[in-house]
Amino acid sequence: MNFAGKTAIVTGASRGIGKEIALKLASLGASVAVNYAGSEARANEVVDEIKAIGMDAFAVQCDVSNSDSVTAMIKEVMEKFGKIDILVNNAGITKDNLLMRMKEDEWDDVINTNLKGVFLCTKGVTRQMMKQRSGRIINISSIVGVSGNPGQANYVAAKSGVIGLTKTTAKELASRGITVNAIAPGFITTDMTDQLNDDLREQMLKQIPLAKFGEPEDIANVVAFLASDESKYMTGQTLHVDGGMVM
Amino acid sequence: MAEVLERVTKIIVDRLGVEESEVKMEASFKDDLGADSLDVVELVMELEDEFDMEISDDDAEKIATVGDAVNYIKAL
């Protein structure tokens, strides 16, 4: 896979899976816009890592749940790169709680970042990709968006929504040479999953046929595939990268 | 004024592959010129570039015929 001359935006790329995706795409030749919401210092570290391997990158602040903020980000990327070949909608948050205890703002915050954010960023890049008659959009969903998960009504609803959004966007944009696919990661070791309690981790491990948690790189590798020409006959799909947890 | 119609017509002919003679003011993009919804979105995008302006989503939804587009641009 070779992304020489290609440009990518990776949302939520200051850490975890997003960081690994940004590094992977850059290592294969892409210029990368490293989006972050609050972690400026960590985003700059990712940019430095990319520059250290001789590739082009810059950090761009944006709250993906805010349309003005997204518009400004797309504008900045267009000014710096002149085109957008790849969008990876990765930014996400969790605010877990049992449904009975979940507050309205916990619901809204997670839906706004994890689902509305995908809509806004996708809408934002579509104009450019339509003109180019090519583009790759990769949405990071979650395996719990397929299976459900107690304590995560907001997160599961958003991640499930991303799968539906992926299918619809894929159908709307297929005639313009743009493919849209989703990845449903299982249990991947990141800051976000480190917050889960030991009981839950233990319980999840039992459900994984490959009997271990995944690494961010396992997701980044599949993103690279979906962003490449090798996946050109795939669109609207959700790939489970979960050690066989949900089949 | 005629110039606007000329430039709009050229974009429509290029984008939709129709004959220039079909591009009448009353012609509907979807019903008469064979455009689908996405074609209309793209036409609006090209008009924005051609005439260096921004058409809001609300206004764009009201553009259904060649005349709608021409009159919108002339009214600016």
Side-chain angles (χ1 to χ4, degrees), chain A residues 123 126-128 130-131 133 172-173 175-176, chain B residues 15 36 38-39 41-42 45-46 48-49 57:
Chain A
K123 189 178 171 189
T126 298
R127 180 189 183 95
Q128 185 56 32
M130 274 172 69
K131 278 191 199 166
R133 284 287 186 274
E172 282 193 18
L173 301 178
S175 65
R176 302 309 193 261
Chain B
R15 171 59 59 205
D36 65 18
L38 202 56
D39 290 326
V41 172
E42 277 192 309
M45 272 166 40
E46 289 200 30
E48 287 179 325
D49 290 343
D57 288 347

Side-chain angles (χ1 to χ4, degrees), chain A residues 67-234:
Chain A
S67 59
D68 290 341
S69 186
V70 171
T71 303
M73 172 173 74
I74 305 294
K75 190 159 171 260
E76 195 178 336
V77 174
M78 282 304 294
E79 279 166 10
K80 293 226 162 85
F81 290 160
K83 61 177 188 148
I84 302 168
D85 298 303
I86 301 159
L87 167 68
V88 184
N89 283 306
N90 166 77
I93 58 170
T94 54
K95 293 200 174 178
D96 296 352
N97 217 334
L98 289 172
L99 181 75
M100 293 290 292
R101 298 263 177 256
M102 187 171 287
K103 294 174 196 71
E104 194 175 340
D105 64 336
E106 291 173 336
W107 172 269
D108 287 345
D109 289 351
V110 170
I111 297 289
N112 283 341
T113 297
N114 297 13
L115 179 56
K116 185 183 172 188
V118 177
F119 159 68
L120 290 176
C121 291
T122 300
K123 189 178 171 189
V125 301
T126 298
R127 180 189 183 95
Q128 185 56 32
M129 287 183 175
M130 274 172 69
K131 278 191 199 166
Q132 294 169 189
R133 284 287 186 274
S134 72
R136 289 276 191 273
I137 300 173
I138 298 133
N139 297 327
I140 306 301
S141 175
S142 168
I143 204 64
V144 300
V146 181
S147 65
N149 199 28
Q152 292 198 301
N154 47 5
Y155 188 79
V156 167
K159 292 300 188 180
S160 233
V162 166
I163 292 172
L165 181 58
T166 299
K167 292 176 184 176
T168 290
T169 315
K171 286 187 176 181
E172 282 193 18
L173 301 178
S175 65
R176 302 309 193 261
I178 302 166
T179 70
V180 189
N181 291 287
I183 296 173
F187 198 109
I188 307 296
T189 309
T190 65
D191 290 351
M192 199 160 96
T193 51
D194 284 347
Q195 291 167 13
L196 300 173
N197 65 47
D198 289 346
D199 278 357
L200 192 61
R201 294 164 69 95
E202 207 48 45
Q203 211 182 313
M204 290 183 100
L205 201 51
K206 281 188 198 147
Q207 297 168 20
I208 303 171
L210 288 176
K212 61 183 171 204
F213 299 140
E215 297 297 329
E217 199 190 358
D218 295 321
I219 306 306
N221 287 335
V222 181
V223 170
F225 167 66
L226 289 175
S228 74
D229 280 346
E230 276 84 341
S231 66
K232 66 185 189 316
Y233 196 54
M234 287 180 66

